[in-house]
Amino acid sequence: MFEQKNYSGEKAKDYELLIKQLDALSEGENNKIALLSNASALLNQFLTEVNWVGFYLWEENELILGPFQGLPACIRIPYGKGVCGTAVSEQQTQRVDDVHAFPGHIACDGATNSEIVVPITINNQIYGVLDIDSPINNRFDEEDQYFLEKFVLHLTKHLQ
């Protein structure tokens, strides 16, 4: 079963280990709630300086809160609204260094200062988003974005 790993401090190497852990935990599992729950727990355990890690799932033309780690969150996010809704409408990752400067930001947690949202698509259809918040401005960089997008690609293989 899963055991706590000590990460090396080398970001790329540690993200690769995280993705291997995701694949190992997800192997043979087809329950989507279980897969997303473990994925959010893995990310929450791995990432530093974050205050919310989770998923919003696309249902009936809006994002609905899914498995997450952190404080209670907004339950529904309309298409094109906030960082999550924008990630869906633009079909691309939103890396926001200062959420307070983002037009239409939805403040579910007032402590959040930066955010990254990665859209999840399966068979060219929106499935949802991975949403990660941080109380630190400029928390997420290009390397985080690259590996979080890779994490989502691996996750989608298990969700199909």
Side-chain angles (χ1 to χ4, degrees), residues 1-158:
M1 205 81 263
F2 184 78
E3 63 181 62
Q4 178 91 21
K5 293 284 184 189
N6 292 324
Y7 296 101
S8 70
E10 296 175 41
K11 191 185 267 190
K13 183 178 175 183
D14 290 346
Y15 265 116
E16 292 293 351
L17 176 57
L18 176 73
I19 291 166
K20 287 179 185 176
Q21 290 173 320
L22 172 70
D23 286 336
L25 275 172
S26 303
E27 184 70 33
E29 182 54 64
N30 62 7
N31 183 287
K32 291 171 178 39
I33 299 299
L35 291 167
L36 294 169
S37 296
N38 267 344
S40 64
L42 265 177
L43 285 166
N44 191 57
Q45 178 263 323
F46 170 74
L47 294 168
T48 60
E49 299 177 321
V50 297
N51 57 324
W52 202 91
V53 177
F55 298 93
Y56 280 91
L57 306 176
W58 186 247
E59 189 176 304
E60 298 179 14
N61 297 316
E62 65 182 344
L63 290 164
I64 308 291
L65 181 64
F68 70 93
Q69 306 279 311
L71 294 175
C74 302
I75 295 173
R76 296 176 184 273
I77 299 176
Y79 178 84
K81 301 295 182 188
V83 181
C84 291
T86 300
V88 170
S89 67
E90 295 183 2
Q91 290 289 296
Q92 64 182 8
T93 298
Q94 301 293 305
R95 193 176 77 231
V96 181
D97 294 334
D98 179 0
V99 296
H100 306 291
F102 188 90
H105 174 251
I106 300 169
C108 296
D109 181 347
T112 296
N113 285 310
S114 64
E115 183 171 5
I116 188 166
V117 178
V118 180
I120 303 169
T121 57
I122 297 177
N123 299 322
N124 295 319
Q125 298 292 315
I126 191 66
Y127 181 83
V129 297
L130 166 62
D131 180 18
I132 305 173
D133 297 350
S134 173
I136 309 298
N137 283 342
N138 303 304
R139 164 59 183 86
F140 306 102
D141 61 20
E142 290 177 7
E143 193 171 19
D144 290 304
Q145 180 175 337
Y146 171 80
F147 281 106
L148 290 169
E149 289 172 347
K150 187 173 181 179
F151 183 93
V152 164
L153 281 174
H154 277 255
L155 179 61
T156 60
K157 293 174 188 174
H158 300 290

